[in-house]
Structures are given as structure tokens and as C-alpha cells.
């Protein structure tokens, strides 16, 4: 489904949604809409990531705060459990299995590669981590463990997200077009499914949304 279809459904059903779900889906859909209007890959990726972030981000007590990656991994696992129609599994194994494999083979979206470049890891250390990560994903693919596959994929997407958001890449750079195309292809199909699964499960506790609307 695209933004227009999802937004119409959300308008039709939002009167039955609790405040947190309504706010999450409203925000996420607004950024999905902007992503679909973007004409460049960098813009599409950033707007799609914000749409995903709007769906999963939660206010958590600072003493219990997880890393951002752990938070969205838990969110992905929850989505897979709620996905009774197996739409995420079908997407992973039917729509873009090759894109995922190409992404997993790309060192430029693997954080340990960059840690090696900055002297934090040895060559052997980053290579071992790279091989272990690919093996973990290969095992998950072989056992059709959708949640684990998505967690590995999103860890790669997160590295690209950091490069862009923290100014570690040039806009429209030719050196990262391959990984940018693969990441946009994956996110552009995943984000609408994430929103759809949330709409399918209005009674699920999604947690308090970050930065709630404050009525002055």
C-alpha cells in the first residue's frame, strides 16, 4: 500500500485508535508522504527513516533506556509476532531476497568496517565481525527467521542513516549510490507494511510516543 491508501484507511479508523497509536501513525504517514514526493535517493532514505522512527520511537525511563538499535529490534520482533498475514515474511523472501543479500555483502554499511578505518578495530577484528554477521543472517534466512533477518538488515540501514544524518556523506555522492539504492528499495516497501500492521492491531500497547502534542 502507498501513502494515499494508508492515509484513507487511517482517517476511516482513527476514531477507534488510542492517542498513542493515532499520533504514531499520523506522524509516520506524514513522512511517508514526503518520502514518496522526494526525487533523490538521499532524501527518500532520510524521510523513510523518519517515518520508521515515528512508528517505533518510545519515551523510556532514562534508567531503563535501551540503545536505539535495541529499541527498533524489539519493535521489529513485535511486528513479526503480530503479522498474522505474514506480509513481512513474504516481503523478505519474495520481494527482495537478492537486495538483502547484496546489502549484507556490502562493507560500507557495516559499522565495524568504519571502526576499523578509524583505528578502533584491527583488520582481523572487523573481518571476523563481518563474517559472523553474514553467517547469522544466512542462518536466519535458512530457517525463515524473519525477525532476525530484519534486525540484521536494519543494523546496516542504521549505519547508512548515521552517515547521512551526521554529515558523513555527500549529497548525491556517486560513491554510495549502490547501497543507497538497495536501502531505499527495502525501506520503501517495509515502512508501509509497518504502518499497516500497526493499523491491523489497534488494541496493542505501542507505548507512549516521543514528544507528545502539548496543548497550550
Amino acid at each position: 500500500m502507498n501513502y494515499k491508501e494508508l492515509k484513507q484507511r487511517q482517517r476511516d479508523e482513527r476514531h477507534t485508535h488510542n492517542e498513542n497509536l493515532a499520533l504514531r501513525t499520523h506522524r509516520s504517514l506524514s513522512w511517508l508522504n514526503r518520502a514518496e514526493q522526494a526525487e533523490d535517493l538521499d532524501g527518500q532514505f532520510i524521510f523513510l527513516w523518519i517515518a520508521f522512527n515515528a512508528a517505533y520511537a518510545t519515551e523510556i525511563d532514562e534508567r531503563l533506556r535501551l540503545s536505539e538499535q535495541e529499541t527498533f529490534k524489539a519493535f521489529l520482533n513485535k511486528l513479526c509476532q503480530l503479522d498474522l498475514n505474514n506480509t513481512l515474511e513474504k516481503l523478505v523472501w519474495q520481494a527482495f531476497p537478492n537486495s538483502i543479500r547484496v546489502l549484507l555483502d556490502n562493507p560500507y554499511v557495516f559499522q565495524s568496517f568504519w571502526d576499523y578505518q578509524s583505528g578502533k578495530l584491527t583488520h582481523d577484528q572487523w573481518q571476523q565481525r563481518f563474517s559472523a554477521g553474514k553467517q547469522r543472517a544466512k542462518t536466519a534466512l535458512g530457517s525463515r527467521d524473519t525477525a532476525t533477518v530484519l534486525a540484521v538488515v536494519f543494523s546496516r540501514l542504521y549505519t547508512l542513516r548515521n552517515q547521512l544524518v551526521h554529515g558523513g556523506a555527500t549529497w548525491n555522492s556517486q560513491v554510495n549510490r549502490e547501497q543507497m539504492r538497495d536501502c531505499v528499495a527495502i525501506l520503501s516497501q517495509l515502512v508501509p507494511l509497518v504502518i499497516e500492521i500497526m493499523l491491523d492491531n489497534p488494541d496493542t500497547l505501542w507505548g507512549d510516543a516521543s514528544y507528545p502534542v502539548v496543548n497550550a
Side-chain angles (χ1 to χ4, degrees):
M1 298 182 77
N2 57 24
Y3 162 76
K4 186 176 181 180
E5 294 169 322
L6 285 168
K7 185 60 182 177
Q8 186 57 56
R9 178 181 172 183
Q10 189 253 357
R11 287 194 182 105
D12 293 341
E13 300 175 4
R14 61 189 176 190
H15 66 282
T16 67
H17 297 166
N18 63 56
E19 183 177 350
N20 288 318
L21 176 61
L23 183 57
R24 286 174 183 278
T25 54
H26 172 70
R27 286 173 171 174
S28 188
L29 282 164
S30 73
W31 289 106
L32 176 61
N33 183 31
R34 184 63 184 87
E36 291 181 359
Q37 297 175 48
E39 297 181 353
D40 64 296
L41 289 172
D42 303 85
Q44 289 176 48
F45 179 86
I46 290 172
F47 294 132
L48 284 167
W49 185 272
I50 297 175
F52 175 68
N53 212 124
Y56 83 81
T58 305
E59 286 288 354
I60 307 173
D61 189 299
E62 287 292 340
R63 294 169 297 177
L64 304 176
R65 185 171 297 279
L66 300 172
S67 70
E68 186 169 10
Q69 287 199 57
E70 291 302 316
T71 303
F72 68 64
K73 286 178 184 178
F75 177 71
L76 290 168
N77 188 64
K78 185 175 187 176
L79 288 173
C80 288
Q81 292 176 0
L82 293 169
D83 184 19
L84 300 181
N85 295 321
N86 297 320
T87 53
L88 290 173
E89 179 178 328
K90 292 174 184 175
L91 188 66
V92 168
W93 273 274
Q94 297 177 17
F96 48 67
N98 290 333
S99 295
I100 289 177
R101 288 186 172 89
V102 169
L103 189 66
L104 294 175
D105 285 334
N106 191 326
Y108 302 111
V109 287
F110 187 64
Q111 184 57 46
S112 292
F113 171 79
W114 297 108
D115 290 340
Y116 160 64
Q117 297 298 322
S118 62
K120 298 176 183 177
L121 295 175
T122 67
H123 183 272
D124 287 346
Q125 286 175 324
W126 96 260
Q127 286 278 16
Q128 289 170 2
R129 293 186 183 186
F130 192 49
S131 297
K134 289 198 293 183
Q135 183 57 49
R136 177 168 172 253
K138 183 178 179 181
T139 300
L141 284 166
S143 61
R144 301 184 77 86
D145 183 352
T146 304
T148 297
V149 172
L150 288 177
V152 174
V153 167
F154 267 85
S155 70
R156 304 298 201 271
L157 296 174
Y158 189 69
T159 297
L160 183 59
R161 171 261 186 203
N162 287 343
Q163 291 175 13
L164 291 178
V165 173
H166 296 295
T170 303
W171 174 78
N172 203 32
S173 172
Q174 294 305 305
V175 301
N176 67 1
R177 288 306 86 183
E178 180 181 345
Q179 53 262 41
M180 189 64 70
R181 280 192 296 269
D182 290 333
C183 291
V184 167
I186 291 171
L187 271 182
S188 63
Q189 294 184 69
L190 269 174
V191 169
L193 283 184
V194 167
I195 298 171
E196 187 173 17
I197 293 171
M198 294 177 76
L199 292 175
D200 287 342
N201 294 274
D203 296 327
T204 297
L205 294 177
W206 296 104
D208 293 337
S210 297
Y211 302 99
V213 176
V214 177
N215 296 317

